[in-house]
Amino acid sequence: MKLKIVFLAAAFLLFEACSKVPLTGRSQLSLVDEGQMLSLAQASYAEFLKENKVVPASDKQTVFVKKVGDNLINAVKVFMNQKGYSQQIKDYKWEVNLVESKELNAWCMPGGKIVVYTGILPVTKDETGLATVMGHEIAHAIARHGAERMSQQMAAQMGAVVGNVATSSSSQNQQIFNELYGVGAPLALLKYGRNQESEADRLGLTFMAIAGYDPRKAVDFWQRMSASAKTQQKPPEFLSTHPSDETRISGIQKYLPEALGYYNQK
Ligand SMILES: [Zn+2]
């Protein structure tokens, strides 16, 4: 009897704990609410900025990165507004920073904290290339993939027992969050799932198209990324979490007509 109640409670919690991804409409597990995610992001982001060398705002590379970032942020706002999802990003405090680092990396935390590493700029090459990777990373945040990944991690660690999830400590949550974004533990960077990657590609193409960047050029960026791995001693971390293989390229090609619809509206 008791077991049955626990089961029903768990089923109810899981049902309640599902949210839907804009554009794709996929249901996702969500054991961490948006407020928690934003405060975890805030703490993790502040720590990251303290530990890393932020390129000054006056630097022309920073100006360039912020310009592309602002175009995408505006596109996201337009998109979310159009689809009736603007509530979901109402607490976002968007920020774009360029960080001095050899690493080929970029990410966007929940709440709109975007970081681009100088190491990826030769591969992004131009505005459209940079818009491809930034659009993709922003898409992970908009689709709440971080919260989903954390929820999966928590469920795995705690056996998805209702009580345990509810009482998991905030320091444990911060640790999982930091691992996800590679803050303080770059080697433990968690991977997004394949479905999350393809969802981020689809949303990212849409964002870049609304921002006025030709989504057909996205494939060029992923091919340059893949080629750059061959010239490096150690494959870039970004590629291990973002394989740019045939699956990704053919997925992008599949979503192109949809994104071009947005691009041609410009
Ligand atoms: Zn990704």
Side-chain angles (χ1 to χ4, degrees):
M1 183 59 192
K2 209 173 164 194
L3 205 71
K4 199 173 169 192
I5 293 170
V6 169
F7 176 77
L8 283 175
F12 179 73
L13 187 92
L14 287 180
F15 177 74
E16 281 290 285
C18 276
S19 55
K20 280 223 162 81
V21 178
L23 188 69
T24 67
R26 182 176 63 85
S27 291
Q28 57 186 177
L29 178 65
S30 180
L31 299 172
V32 197
D33 70 31
E34 191 66 1
Q36 281 175 288
M37 280 310 275
L38 295 192
S39 72
L40 291 169
Q42 191 56 53
S44 193
Y45 184 65
E47 188 190 329
F48 179 85
L49 291 186
K50 237 190 289 165
E51 286 171 0
N52 289 272
K53 196 169 165 247
V54 177
V55 183
S58 57
D59 188 286
K60 65 176 201 292
Q61 280 189 312
T62 309
V63 173
F64 173 72
V65 169
K66 283 189 194 264
K67 177 186 162 197
V68 177
D70 286 344
N71 289 341
L72 287 163
I73 291 164
N74 285 330
V76 170
K77 288 179 185 164
V78 166
F79 174 82
M80 295 299 268
N81 218 7
Q82 264 180 15
K83 302 281 169 187
Y85 280 107
S86 51
Q87 273 298 99
Q88 199 182 302
I89 55 165
K90 70 173 185 352
D91 294 327
Y92 268 48
K93 293 196 173 54
W94 295 93
E95 232 180 274
V96 182
N97 271 302
L98 178 65
V99 159
E100 185 73 55
S101 165
K102 285 197 184 86
E103 262 185 82
L104 284 74
N105 204 0
W107 41 251
C108 173
M109 283 181 181
K113 312 299 188 201
I114 304 165
V115 165
V116 174
Y117 295 59
T118 49
I120 205 170
L121 294 180
V123 185
T124 56
K125 204 173 110 188
D126 53 23
E127 241 183 280
T128 308
L130 186 57
T132 306
V133 68
M134 287 176 90
H136 175 93
E137 292 306 317
I138 291 171
H140 277 307
I142 294 298
R144 304 193 73 236
H145 288 161
E148 186 179 12
R149 196 69 193 81
M150 268 192 72
S151 304
Q152 290 162 343
Q153 188 82 357
M154 287 159 83
Q157 277 181 6
M158 296 154 195
V161 175
V162 184
N164 284 357
V165 172
T167 57
S168 77
S169 75
S170 59
S171 70
Q172 267 174 321
N173 289 351
Q174 190 73 57
Q175 198 186 336
I176 299 175
F177 186 95
N178 287 356
E179 278 174 25
L180 182 61
Y181 289 94
V183 173
L187 293 175
L189 200 66
L190 295 179
K191 279 168 97 159
Y192 289 115
R194 178 56 93 179
N195 61 345
Q196 295 174 320
E197 280 306 319
S198 103
E199 208 163 59
D201 282 335
R202 183 174 168 192
L203 267 170
L205 288 173
T206 305
F207 297 153
M208 75 185 282
I210 297 173
Y213 298 109
D214 189 344
R216 286 168 292 201
K217 304 240 172 80
V219 173
D220 303 346
F221 161 76
W222 291 108
Q223 280 168 345
R224 285 198 300 276
M225 193 71 201
S226 167
S228 78
K230 291 171 193 133
T231 65
Q232 307 251 321
Q233 284 179 329
K234 175 174 93 75
E237 192 67 38
F238 189 82
L239 262 192
S240 74
T241 54
H242 287 86
S244 58
D245 49 20
E246 275 313 304
T247 315
R248 183 184 300 275
I249 306 278
S250 67
I252 288 176
Q253 273 150 355
K254 192 174 94 197
Y255 299 133
L256 265 183
E258 178 183 65
L260 278 171
Y262 288 97
Y263 183 62
N264 294 331
Q265 272 173 27
K266 291 293 282 189

